[in-house]
Structures are given as C-alpha cells and as structure tokens.
Amino acid sequence: MESNGRLGLHIFVTTSYLIIGMLIFRSLELENEKAMRVQMTQKLQAFMANSTCVSMSELRYLVGVVGGDVRMAMAVVANRTTSDRWEYSGAMSFVVTVVTTIGYGHLAPVTTPGRVVSVIYALIGIPLTLIMLKDIGDKLNNVIARLYRVEYCQKAWVNKTINVSIILIVGVNVAILLPSALFIHVEGWTMMEAVYYCFITLSTIGFGDFLPSGANLLTMNRRLYRFTIYIWIFIGLAYVSLIISCISNTIVEKARSVERHTLTKVEAELRRLRHEVMKYQHRSRDITTDVVGAASPSCPLDVKLMHYKHVGQDNDAFVCALSSKTTHVEVQKKDNDVMDATVEKYQQ
C-alpha cells in the first residue's frame, strides 16, 4: 500500500512537470514559429515571382526531394564530389551516437540490411557502453571521494564547501567550458550555442540542430578533431551520469528522511492519543463504580456517562444519568493519581 502511494505521487509529480514544460515551451516557441512561417511564405512567394518558369507543383516536388536529405542536397548544390558521411570518420560518428543513445538523427541507414544490423548492433553495444561508462564513473567517483576528504581547516562545513566547489569547477570545465571553447574556435559558434550543444550531447538528448564538422580543418586535423570529440563524449557522459546519480540519490534520501520524520511524529502523536483515551476510560470506570455504589438499589447498575463539564481549572467533573435522577460527581486528584469522588443527588 505504501509503495502504491509513492508510485502515485511520482506519477503525479512527473505528469505535472511535463504539463508545466509543455506550457513553458509553447509560450517560448509558438510565436517564433509563426514568425518563421510568415518569413518562409514571403521568401517562397518572392522566389515564385522571380522564377515564372517554375510552377507550384514543381516547387513542391523539389522541396520534397531536398527535404529527404538536406545535407546531401546542400553538398550537391555546393558541387562537392566527395562525401565522408559513410567513410571511416562518418561511420564512427554513427556508431558512437548509436551505442551512447545520443542519436543526433543527422545520419541513419537507409538500406534494409543496414537497419536490421543497426538494431542488433544497438542491442549489444548499448549494454557494453553502459558497463564501460559505469567503470569510468567509478574511477571518477574514487577521485572525487579522495578530493572530498581533503581538509583545509578544522571546520567541517568549510572543508565540505571548498571540496564541493573544486569538484564542480573542475567537472564543469572538463565537460562543458573547455569543449565549448574548442567548438567556438573551430566551428564559429557563439558561447551559448557551444554550451547548449555540450549539454544536449552529454545528456544524450541529441537534438541534432548543432553538429561539429570541422569543415575548415585539413583532413588529418579533422580526423584528430573528431577523435577528440569521441573521447570527450565518453568521459563527459560518465561525469554527467555521476552528477545526475548524486543529485537523484540526494533527492531520494531527503524525501525518505522527511518521510521518516513525519512518520515518527505521527506515531508519537498516535501513542499520545491512545494514552489519553486509555486514561480517560480508566477515570470513567472508576467514577461509574463510585456512582453506582452511592445510588439507590433500585437504580440500574449500567451507568451511562452522558457528557463532560468543565469545573474550575481541571476538567474533572462528570454528569451521569441514573434513572430519573441526576448525579453530580466531582473528582479530585491526589498525589498518587488516585481519584476521590464526591456524589451528590439532585432531583430532576
């Protein structure tokens, strides 16, 4: 029952997060999409006005052909006779995106044997890559653990703050900032675009809207450049996975701590309430016995406690019903917590 409640809470939180994300990105991107559609319409109308020999059906056909493979179409328009998409470097880029599940979508097999082999290759390669990333993460975790134990002073919180800061600074530089600087220099991206690409890649989201190509480099330098990117991807994936795991474990542990604390308080309150109920039940039995003994023999023995009345500074007065008479009972506490009852009879 408890696990079902936790599952329901997780589903509710995740669904709420998805709905919030939907609303945020809709508000951010919808107007820009409309503006781009207007610009595209204007450009196509200008093209058709200047190219009277091209009909709308021919334009649709051309757009369909180009849309099938935009990069290939751009290469043909640029009159590039060679392509490295499925050469050694291109094929290596493809298999790296497969086993790391980044999946930029810029390169995919189009033949039936290629698609079949891709499925089999991924089924074997993804687990192998995850095992390797786990081993790399363990090595990084050992290094982080050693850094975390370094002491700079006698104050524990100061040591913890300094160590966490060093770990984060080094990790962010290796995984994000240094590669971003390389992409800015080679690809000509802005700082925002380079950081965005690094995060999208290392989080395995892989939109594919930015791709490093090294087109301006010489062939040998381009191969070294791509090999460096592959090494960065594996190390960065291990580091990001480690950080995400630490954050997830911290959140789960905090939630469990709050849950344990809440359960402890609830159980303590329930014990207190049970103790109070038992105490008042004990008082009621003692008072009932005294009242029955003081009443006339014709009165029934099953005395029913009707209600509870506040008298003085203590709630120690009860009104009981005994047949046609009302009996007022005042209870006094003694040092040993024994009750004395004084019974007075009043005619209704």
Side-chain angles (χ1 to χ4, degrees), residues 180-228:
S180 296
L182 178 63
F183 296 137
I184 291 171
H185 176 70
V186 176
E187 305 294 338
W189 296 342
T190 65
M191 183 66 181
M192 184 63 222
E193 291 171 344
V195 172
Y196 167 80
Y197 166 77
C198 290
F199 178 79
I200 293 300
T201 297
L202 297 184
S203 60
T204 69
I205 297 173
F207 289 133
D209 48 350
F210 287 93
L211 293 172
S213 62
N216 298 326
L217 299 176
L218 297 177
T219 302
M220 194 65 187
N221 293 336
R222 187 185 306 123
R223 291 174 181 173
L224 179 61
Y225 172 67
R226 292 183 176 180
F227 180 76
T228 304

XYZ file of all heavy atoms in Angstrom, residues 180-228:
397
model
N 33.550 23.750 -25.113
C 32.864 24.892 -25.724
C 33.858 25.853 -26.367
O 33.612 26.375 -27.465
C 32.033 25.623 -24.670
O 31.012 24.793 -24.167
N 34.969 26.077 -25.680
C 35.999 26.946 -26.254
C 36.535 26.363 -27.564
O 36.788 27.100 -28.537
C 37.133 27.142 -25.252
N 36.708 25.036 -27.605
C 37.176 24.402 -28.841
C 36.154 24.563 -29.965
O 36.520 24.879 -31.113
C 37.439 22.915 -28.573
C 37.889 22.074 -29.770
C 39.226 22.561 -30.306
C 37.954 20.597 -29.389
N 34.886 24.372 -29.663
C 33.847 24.498 -30.692
C 33.703 25.945 -31.168
O 33.441 26.185 -32.350
C 32.506 23.984 -30.150
C 32.513 22.522 -29.825
C 31.934 22.046 -28.657
C 33.102 21.612 -30.682
C 31.944 20.696 -28.352
C 33.119 20.251 -30.394
C 32.534 19.799 -29.219
N 33.863 26.892 -30.253
C 33.804 28.295 -30.653
C 34.926 28.607 -31.648
O 34.717 29.298 -32.650
C 33.898 29.207 -29.409
C 32.620 29.074 -28.559
C 34.106 30.659 -29.814
C 32.721 29.770 -27.218
N 36.102 28.066 -31.389
C 37.271 28.343 -32.254
C 37.148 27.629 -33.594
O 37.447 28.224 -34.651
C 38.542 27.900 -31.534
C 39.783 28.039 -32.361
N 40.329 29.264 -32.695
C 40.589 27.091 -32.950
C 41.398 29.080 -33.427
N 41.583 27.775 -33.600
N 36.722 26.365 -33.588
C 36.716 25.579 -34.822
C 35.438 25.795 -35.624
O 35.478 25.983 -36.856
C 36.905 24.083 -34.499
C 36.798 23.249 -35.778
C 38.251 23.852 -33.828
N 34.290 25.757 -34.956
C 33.008 25.813 -35.659
C 32.475 27.234 -35.842
O 31.559 27.435 -36.635
C 31.959 24.975 -34.901
C 32.358 23.538 -34.654
C 32.470 22.733 -35.942
O 31.846 23.144 -36.959
O 33.153 21.700 -35.944
N 33.006 28.185 -35.060
C 32.499 29.549 -35.160
C 31.182 29.752 -34.452
O 30.443 30.695 -34.786
N 30.857 28.884 -33.483
C 29.618 29.038 -32.729
C 29.761 30.136 -31.688
O 30.866 30.535 -31.300
C 29.243 27.730 -32.033
C 28.938 26.609 -32.981
C 28.635 26.712 -34.311
C 28.910 25.213 -32.670
N 28.418 25.472 -34.844
C 28.574 24.533 -33.871
C 29.124 24.468 -31.521
C 28.447 23.155 -33.929
C 28.990 23.096 -31.566
C 28.664 22.438 -32.760
N 28.615 30.600 -31.190
C 28.626 31.511 -30.050
C 28.811 30.709 -28.768
O 28.698 29.468 -28.767
C 27.319 32.314 -29.972
O 26.225 31.404 -29.714
C 27.068 33.073 -31.265
N 29.074 31.405 -27.683
C 29.255 30.732 -26.397
C 27.983 29.987 -25.998
O 28.044 28.845 -25.525
C 29.642 31.762 -25.327
C 29.933 31.157 -23.961
S 31.416 30.119 -24.003
C 31.493 29.538 -22.320
N 26.838 30.609 -26.187
C 25.569 29.972 -25.839
C 25.337 28.722 -26.667
O 24.895 27.687 -26.166
C 24.427 30.977 -26.044
C 23.060 30.461 -25.627
S 22.999 30.114 -23.861
C 22.100 28.569 -23.855
N 25.626 28.800 -27.976
C 25.425 27.641 -28.839
C 26.359 26.493 -28.466
O 25.941 25.316 -28.470
C 25.656 28.058 -30.296
C 24.593 29.001 -30.836
C 24.941 29.564 -32.194
O 26.133 29.465 -32.583
O 24.060 30.113 -32.871
N 27.608 26.818 -28.130
C 28.566 25.770 -27.774
C 28.184 25.086 -26.460
O 28.216 23.848 -26.360
C 29.970 26.365 -27.667
N 27.820 25.873 -25.440
C 27.407 25.292 -24.151
C 26.137 24.478 -24.331
O 25.985 23.383 -23.763
C 27.213 26.409 -23.101
C 26.598 25.845 -21.826
C 28.547 27.073 -22.789
N 25.224 24.993 -25.121
C 23.972 24.277 -25.409
C 24.257 22.926 -26.059
O 23.695 21.898 -25.674
C 23.107 25.158 -26.308
C 21.926 24.476 -26.941
C 20.749 24.263 -26.221
C 21.968 24.062 -28.272
C 19.657 23.645 -26.819
C 20.889 23.451 -28.874
C 19.735 23.248 -28.143
O 18.661 22.633 -28.737
N 25.146 22.914 -27.056
C 25.489 21.662 -27.724
C 26.117 20.664 -26.743
O 25.788 19.473 -26.764
C 26.442 21.914 -28.889
C 27.094 20.662 -29.402
C 26.392 19.772 -30.205
C 28.413 20.346 -29.054
C 26.980 18.610 -30.659
C 29.004 19.180 -29.506
C 28.285 18.306 -30.306
O 28.867 17.139 -30.741
N 27.027 21.152 -25.895
C 27.694 20.264 -24.937
C 26.676 19.603 -23.995
O 26.727 18.393 -23.751
C 28.736 21.033 -24.134
S 30.174 21.537 -25.086
N 25.755 20.390 -23.478
C 24.774 19.813 -22.556
C 23.824 18.858 -23.271
O 23.520 17.771 -22.771
C 23.973 20.925 -21.869
C 22.916 20.388 -20.940
C 23.261 19.941 -19.678
C 21.592 20.295 -21.342
C 22.295 19.425 -18.824
C 20.625 19.780 -20.502
C 20.984 19.345 -19.230
N 23.332 19.248 -24.444
C 22.404 18.387 -25.196
C 23.079 17.067 -25.557
O 22.444 16.000 -25.561
C 21.904 19.125 -26.454
C 21.029 20.317 -26.063
C 21.127 18.183 -27.351
C 19.808 19.951 -25.258
N 24.371 17.121 -25.834
C 25.094 15.893 -26.180
C 25.319 15.017 -24.958
O 25.017 13.812 -24.976
C 26.447 16.246 -26.820
O 26.225 16.950 -28.039
C 27.251 14.980 -27.117
N 25.845 15.597 -23.884
C 26.196 14.792 -22.712
C 24.973 14.306 -21.940
O 25.062 13.344 -21.178
C 27.109 15.598 -21.783
C 28.459 15.992 -22.385
C 29.312 16.707 -21.352
C 29.191 14.767 -22.925
N 23.847 14.953 -22.126
C 22.611 14.457 -21.512
C 21.911 13.446 -22.407
O 20.833 12.960 -22.057
C 21.667 15.624 -21.208
O 21.333 16.316 -22.398
N 22.522 13.131 -23.560
C 22.020 12.175 -24.564
C 20.660 12.586 -25.128
O 19.930 11.732 -25.641
C 21.943 10.730 -24.011
O 20.902 10.648 -23.033
C 23.257 10.294 -23.413
N 20.313 13.876 -25.020
C 19.084 14.341 -25.670
C 19.278 14.318 -27.176
O 18.437 13.804 -27.916
C 18.716 15.751 -25.167
C 18.419 15.711 -23.668
C 17.528 16.299 -25.931
C 18.199 17.067 -23.045
N 20.384 14.918 -27.646
C 20.781 14.797 -29.052
C 19.770 15.313 -30.045
O 19.288 14.552 -30.891
N 19.446 16.609 -29.993
C 18.510 17.159 -30.978
C 19.088 17.108 -32.387
O 18.352 16.900 -33.353
C 18.170 18.613 -30.634
C 17.295 18.745 -29.420
C 17.597 19.654 -28.429
C 16.163 17.960 -29.280
C 16.780 19.787 -27.316
C 15.347 18.074 -28.170
C 15.657 18.988 -27.180
N 20.387 17.332 -32.526
C 20.999 17.321 -33.843
C 20.924 18.639 -34.567
O 21.253 18.714 -35.763
N 20.486 19.722 -33.861
C 20.427 21.027 -34.522
C 21.807 21.657 -34.642
O 22.021 22.528 -35.486
C 19.472 21.960 -33.771
C 19.729 21.959 -32.265
O 20.512 21.114 -31.790
O 19.135 22.794 -31.562
N 22.749 21.248 -33.790
C 24.147 21.684 -33.912
C 25.020 20.441 -33.989
O 24.913 19.539 -33.151
C 24.566 22.544 -32.716
C 23.976 23.931 -32.728
C 22.802 24.198 -32.064
C 24.605 24.955 -33.419
C 22.250 25.465 -32.072
C 24.061 26.236 -33.444
C 22.881 26.489 -32.769
N 25.910 20.408 -34.978
C 26.798 19.262 -35.164
C 28.199 19.767 -35.514
O 28.362 20.569 -36.448
C 26.299 18.346 -36.278
C 24.991 17.598 -36.017
C 24.526 16.902 -37.274
C 25.174 16.607 -34.883
N 29.213 19.320 -34.786
C 30.585 19.722 -35.153
C 31.031 18.974 -36.397
O 30.895 17.754 -36.497
C 31.398 19.315 -33.920
C 30.619 18.200 -33.299
C 29.181 18.476 -33.573
N 31.568 19.703 -37.345
C 32.015 19.079 -38.597
C 33.501 19.294 -38.858
O 34.147 18.454 -39.488
C 31.207 19.650 -39.773
O 31.425 21.044 -39.892
N 34.049 20.412 -38.379
C 35.452 20.709 -38.668
C 35.709 20.896 -40.138
O 36.769 20.502 -40.653
N 34.737 21.497 -40.846
C 34.845 21.619 -42.297
C 36.016 22.485 -42.727
O 36.563 22.300 -43.822
C 33.537 22.197 -42.854
N 36.411 23.400 -41.870
C 37.512 24.304 -42.233
C 38.895 23.728 -41.922
O 39.899 24.372 -42.220
C 37.351 25.640 -41.498
C 36.072 26.354 -41.893
O 35.639 26.269 -43.043
N 35.452 27.039 -40.935
N 38.935 22.536 -41.341
C 40.215 21.923 -40.986
C 40.727 21.055 -42.122
O 39.953 20.588 -42.981
C 40.066 21.080 -39.718
C 39.624 21.823 -38.453
C 39.424 20.823 -37.322
C 40.650 22.878 -38.047
N 42.006 20.805 -42.109
C 42.590 19.857 -43.058
C 42.138 18.450 -42.704
O 41.670 18.183 -41.595
C 44.114 19.954 -43.023
C 44.716 21.309 -43.441
C 46.232 21.270 -43.278
C 44.320 21.676 -44.867
N 42.292 17.545 -43.651
C 41.771 16.188 -43.460
C 42.352 15.533 -42.219
O 41.621 14.944 -41.407
C 42.092 15.329 -44.695
O 41.530 15.941 -45.859
C 41.508 13.931 -44.523
N 43.681 15.599 -42.047
C 44.310 14.966 -40.882
C 43.859 15.620 -39.589
O 43.537 14.942 -38.600
C 45.841 15.048 -41.009
C 46.582 14.142 -40.038
S 46.224 12.405 -40.414
C 47.027 11.614 -39.022
N 43.807 16.938 -39.584
C 43.362 17.644 -38.393
C 41.878 17.381 -38.111
O 41.453 17.330 -36.950
C 43.589 19.143 -38.555
C 45.074 19.487 -38.597
O 45.907 18.742 -38.088
N 45.417 20.613 -39.234
N 41.093 17.206 -39.157
C 39.666 16.926 -38.973
C 39.470 15.576 -38.297
O 38.613 15.430 -37.425
C 38.949 16.966 -40.327
C 37.422 16.864 -40.187
C 36.738 16.789 -41.532
N 37.145 17.898 -42.392
C 37.688 17.755 -43.580
N 37.924 16.540 -44.063
N 38.019 18.802 -44.303
N 40.255 14.585 -38.693
C 40.145 13.267 -38.054
C 40.549 13.317 -36.586
O 39.903 12.712 -35.725
C 40.999 12.260 -38.813
C 40.476 11.934 -40.207
C 41.437 11.056 -40.973
N 40.924 10.771 -42.314
C 41.635 10.122 -43.244
N 42.867 9.696 -42.974
N 41.101 9.894 -44.443
N 41.634 14.030 -36.287
C 42.055 14.190 -34.893
C 40.995 14.949 -34.094
O 40.719 14.610 -32.937
C 43.400 14.934 -34.844
C 43.971 15.209 -33.443
C 44.234 13.892 -32.709
C 45.250 16.043 -33.540
N 40.399 15.934 -34.723
C 39.348 16.727 -34.089
C 38.147 15.848 -33.726
O 37.627 15.901 -32.602
C 38.951 17.841 -35.045
C 37.756 18.664 -34.648
C 37.780 19.492 -33.531
C 36.593 18.632 -35.427
C 36.679 20.268 -33.197
C 35.494 19.403 -35.099
C 35.538 20.210 -33.983
O 34.446 20.976 -33.642
N 37.714 15.015 -34.648
C 36.576 14.136 -34.368
C 36.925 13.065 -33.341
O 36.091 12.719 -32.492
C 36.104 13.485 -35.674
C 35.471 14.478 -36.640
C 34.947 13.787 -37.881
N 34.253 14.741 -38.745
C 33.693 14.406 -39.905
N 33.767 13.150 -40.348
N 33.081 15.320 -40.629
N 38.150 12.537 -33.406
C 38.566 11.547 -32.400
C 38.561 12.179 -31.001
O 38.144 11.539 -30.023
C 39.961 11.019 -32.748
C 40.480 10.007 -31.779
C 40.014 8.702 -31.796
C 41.439 10.351 -30.831
C 40.479 7.758 -30.888
C 41.914 9.420 -29.926
C 41.430 8.112 -29.959
N 39.004 13.413 -30.891
C 38.981 14.121 -29.609
C 37.547 14.288 -29.107
O 37.269 14.142 -27.906
C 39.654 15.495 -29.739
O 40.985 15.318 -30.232
C 39.687 16.217 -28.409
